[in-house]
Amino acid sequence: MDAASTGEAARFRASVESVKGELAHLKREHLLARQQAQREEELAQSQRHILALQEEIEELERKNRLHSQQEAMLKIELRNMERMQKREGVDMTYLKNVILKLLETGEVEALLPVIGMLLQFSPEEIHKCQQAYRASTDVSPSLVSDGPGSRSLFSRFSFS
């Protein structure tokens, strides 16, 4: 072999090595690009999964609010039914006497809690009665008396 062909072979070998290096570099870049594409697909899947979970959370929270409202309504209904059941056992003679005493004496502050207990008034109903009584005493500060020392509520009624 002559020197020219030896130089040409060396250049050819260097060229092959350069191409091999470029090929190895391109293979690494291709591998990295594939890995990046795979990560991006996994990220997109994760984001879709997160959105689906958020929608599920919103739906569960809506159902939870609805169940809480239903529970509150059922508790109110249960309390009402319990009060109705307790009313069934009320001694009507005793209730009649308490109401007569209220009408004869006007002792609303003392007898309203007794009537409320006998008739199983709710706290709201007791409050309404107390407000109505206060409003009626504000309109007519002193009750009309049926006689000396009497504060009868009968005076508010007209019997003909």
Side-chain angles (χ1 to χ4, degrees), residues 78-140:
L78 178 63
R79 282 187 222 109
N80 288 338
M81 291 175 75
E82 287 171 345
R83 282 195 296 274
M84 283 177 47
Q85 187 177 20
K86 287 180 182 178
R87 278 186 208 122
E88 291 174 5
V90 170
D91 179 355
M92 295 304 284
T93 304
Y94 179 63
L95 177 61
K96 177 190 82 163
N97 290 332
V98 171
I99 291 174
L100 281 174
K101 182 84 166 175
L102 172 70
L103 293 172
E104 290 171 352
T105 64
E107 296 176 12
V108 175
E109 291 90 358
L111 295 173
L112 180 60
V114 175
I115 294 172
M117 187 263 317
L118 288 172
L119 296 178
Q120 293 298 305
F121 284 1
S122 68
E124 296 82 21
E125 291 167 332
I126 290 280
H127 186 70
K128 281 182 189 177
C129 291
Q130 290 170 337
Q131 283 182 325
Y133 173 70
R134 286 187 195 111
S136 72
T137 56
D138 288 344
V139 171
S140 58

Side-chain angles (χ1 to χ4, degrees), residues 19-33:
V19 168
K20 283 182 180 179
E22 271 187 55
L23 182 60
H25 178 71
L26 288 173
K27 283 181 178 180
R28 278 192 306 272
E29 282 185 359
H30 179 68
L31 177 65
L32 291 173

